[in-house]
Amino acid sequence: VTNRMAQEHTRLVGRPMGVDGEAIDEALTAIQTKIGSPGVDLMLQSRFLELDRTGVRMHYVAAGPAVSQAECKGVLLFVHGWPDIFFGWRYQLAFFAARGYRCLAVDQRGHGASQLLDKDAAQLDESFSWMMACHDLRALCACEGVNRATVIGHDWGGAVAWSFARRYPDLVAGVAVLCTPYRPRKREFMPLKEVVKAVPVFYYQRYFSEHGDKAAQELGADPERFVKCIYRTGKPSDAIGRFMGPNSPGFLSGFPSNVPQSPLLSAWELDLYTRLLNVPGALRTSLRWYATTRINWEQDAFKYRDPFWDVRKHPDQRGPTVPLPPAISMPALMISAGNDYVLKPSLTKGMEAWCPHLSRALIPETAHWVHQEEPDAVNKALRDWMLNALPPVWQNEPIPPTMTTTTSTTTAAGTTTRTATTTPQRAAL
């Protein structure tokens, strides 16, 4: 019933005005020819969905065999963070699509080519909450005929992946997150300014939250410089800027005016990123995610019985709700980047208390963009975990009563693996 409801309010549409379709097409061609293996068709497609119930026109890239095809090994749902887009998952799309997985990489609402249908709603911070992002993903799954997927998130996309796993446990075979630790909702709300006092490195989030217009203007003034500043490796030789602090006049003020190109991006990747991120208005809407601290805390306590309760038509009503369980009930993988300056591996300490079927992987000497900096190591960690820790990922197979959980740590010395058989407890819908 839920799938039918979602499909009735979801439709594929043509490419909208204001989107650099040429850049999207070039990106797909580059993934196929520059990253993919010769002779292997990745079946890459760029698609746009209008989601009436959540009020967004979503762009996503699909790769690999369709869910209905016998050769489909399962569905992988890739969810990016800020300021990223689908293109951040290019190495994972090429790797897993070539191995028979249906891969769906979205532009999250407010990022890249995914924008809200209602211009007034695009001015509201609450339009960019994790719950609304989860509803978008739920509608996408319905449109694609997905009954169960492995959700893979990074940065903000990691927070959404954790939330999606709790809101829709019957849809999620497993959840893998890069860099972003899971923590359950606190009993008392902590304003962002108090968070920054405790963890000063998060000051940039307060800047984005309180001065979004100014920040969007600053970042959009020179799109290529912005990309060069943000997308860098974890190598000491690639550290060229000073991170934003309370006395900084702007987010990029600690970087030189003439920023050298990082080895993280080749010339063609830098060009495509600059063009794909330079969508009119997208920088401002993507920054609204940083102003949702309170609403995310409020919404994290419950979920709708009707997952497509139209909050736009009933802004003052929650609709019929049930409590949202705090634990991650399915197999989970936490991939940490050894040199991530903000989301340090130490922040993941104690996650086992809330993720009883947790596996871990540490990719040393890498920074925040670990899946781009060391794609082979990340792809191996993901594939090993999926093969060893997950139940069968075929979309219509029942979840078995027991499963094997593998904990692995990837270091410079190699990979250490520990295996155990467990009985998963699945949260009720």
Side-chain angles (χ1 to χ4, degrees):
V1 174
T2 304
N3 269 0
R4 186 172 68 248
M5 287 172 54
Q7 289 166 349
E8 287 174 354
H9 295 273
T10 305
R11 58 187 174 275
L12 284 166
V13 296
R15 189 171 284 165
M17 297 288 290
V19 171
D20 190 342
E22 193 173 295
I24 293 175
D25 292 340
E26 287 182 29
L28 300 194
T29 299
I31 294 171
Q32 175 68 63
T33 59
K34 296 179 183 293
I35 301 176
S37 300
V40 178
D41 185 5
L42 300 178
M43 296 173 276
L44 290 153
Q45 292 180 300
S46 167
R47 294 181 168 185
F48 286 85
L49 283 177
E50 283 194 356
L51 312 178
D52 288 347
R53 290 277 184 147
T54 61
V56 70
R57 182 188 292 113
M58 172 187 281
H59 174 245
Y60 71 100
V61 167
V67 175
S68 59
Q69 294 179 296
E71 59 266 33
C72 177
K73 292 182 178 179
V75 178
L76 307 181
L77 182 56
F78 294 97
V79 193
H80 67 79
W82 185 88
D84 218 12
I85 45 174
F86 77 90
F87 191 59
W89 298 109
R90 57 196 177 280
Y91 293 102
Q92 287 69 45
L93 289 172
F95 181 86
F96 287 103
R99 286 158 177 77
Y101 291 91
R102 180 63 166 176
C103 300
L104 306 173
V106 302
D107 283 355
Q108 292 218 77
R109 55 172 50 216
H111 292 72
S114 291
Q115 296 299 319
L116 271 64
L117 298 170
D118 187 333
K119 291 184 178 179
D120 291 334
Q123 307 302 314
L124 303 175
D125 296 335
E126 53 263 37
S127 297
F128 301 92
S129 69
W130 299 345
M131 184 184 73
M132 297 304 296
C134 288
H135 290 349
D136 291 343
L137 299 180
R138 178 65 183 87
L140 170 61
C141 288
C143 184
E144 282 274 335
V146 176
N147 293 324
R148 190 141 46 95
T150 299
V151 186
I152 303 169
H154 172 250
D155 190 78
W156 273 135
V160 172
W162 293 126
S163 182
F164 189 77
R166 294 167 59 223
R167 291 182 181 280
Y168 301 110
D170 286 3
L171 270 177
V172 180
V175 55
V177 171
L178 285 61
C179 301
T180 311
Y182 175 69
R183 285 290 181 268
R185 177 182 185 270
K186 294 182 179 295
R187 288 182 176 272
E188 299 293 332
F189 173 69
M190 179 180 286
L192 191 53
K193 63 181 181 180
E194 298 301 322
V195 174
V196 170
K197 288 180 182 179
V199 190
V201 74
F202 287 128
Y203 180 80
Y204 73 97
Q205 296 192 7
R206 183 177 176 185
Y207 173 67
F208 288 163
S209 172
E210 298 176 358
H211 306 285
D213 291 338
K214 177 184 176 182
Q217 185 176 5
E218 175 199 1
L219 303 180
D222 187 342
E224 183 177 293
R225 178 173 179 265
F226 169 51
V227 173
K228 285 182 176 180
C229 291
I230 291 291
Y231 290 89
R232 308 200 71 85
T233 70
K235 308 299 185 291
S237 59
D238 202 31
I240 52 90
R242 185 177 65 257
F243 215 71
M244 185 178 195
N247 298 320
S248 303
F251 182 69
L252 302 179
S253 59
F255 290 84
S257 56
N258 186 18
V259 181
Q261 185 172 336
S262 169
L264 182 69
L265 302 179
S266 64
W268 66 268
E269 289 170 319
L270 172 63
D271 173 67
L272 284 172
Y273 250 131
T274 301
R275 293 161 60 193
L276 291 166
L277 291 175
N278 193 27
V279 176
L283 265 177
R284 182 64 189 98
T285 51
S286 69
L287 290 174
R288 291 195 183 278
W289 281 64
Y290 290 94
T292 59
T293 307
R294 176 173 283 278
I295 193 168
N296 285 334
W297 177 81
E298 292 173 352
Q299 292 177 345
D300 203 41
F302 69 90
K303 64 178 177 179
Y304 295 113
R305 290 186 183 277
D306 171 6
F308 294 100
W309 175 263
D310 198 332
V311 292
R312 293 178 302 131
K313 291 183 179 178
H314 309 283
D316 300 322
Q317 300 179 31
R318 283 185 174 179
T321 63
V322 293
L324 194 58
I328 303 298
S329 59
M330 64 288 298
L333 172 64
M334 181 70 236
I335 299 179
S336 298
N339 291 350
D340 192 323
Y341 184 70
V342 177
L343 298 175
K344 300 179 185 295
S346 59
L347 295 177
T348 70
K349 184 178 180 180
M351 279 179 52
E352 284 79 2
W354 303 101
C355 306
H357 312 292
L358 181 68
S359 301
R360 292 176 175 271
L362 172 67
I363 314 298
E365 299 181 9
T366 56
H368 189 62
W369 306 104
V370 56
H371 52 311
Q372 301 185 46
E373 186 175 355
E374 292 291 344
D376 292 344
V378 169
N379 292 344
K380 184 180 187 305
L382 288 169
R383 193 179 188 208
D384 288 350
W385 169 71
M386 287 192 292
L387 292 176
N388 292 303
L390 292 189
V393 292
W394 289 92
Q395 295 309 304
N396 295 312
E397 284 193 13
I399 298 173
T402 61
M403 69 180 66
T404 300
T405 301
T406 301
T407 304
S408 61
T409 302
T410 303
T411 66
T415 302
T416 302
T417 303
R418 179 167 56 84
T419 303
T421 300
T422 57
T423 302
Q425 300 298 316
R426 301 303 299 274
L429 185 65

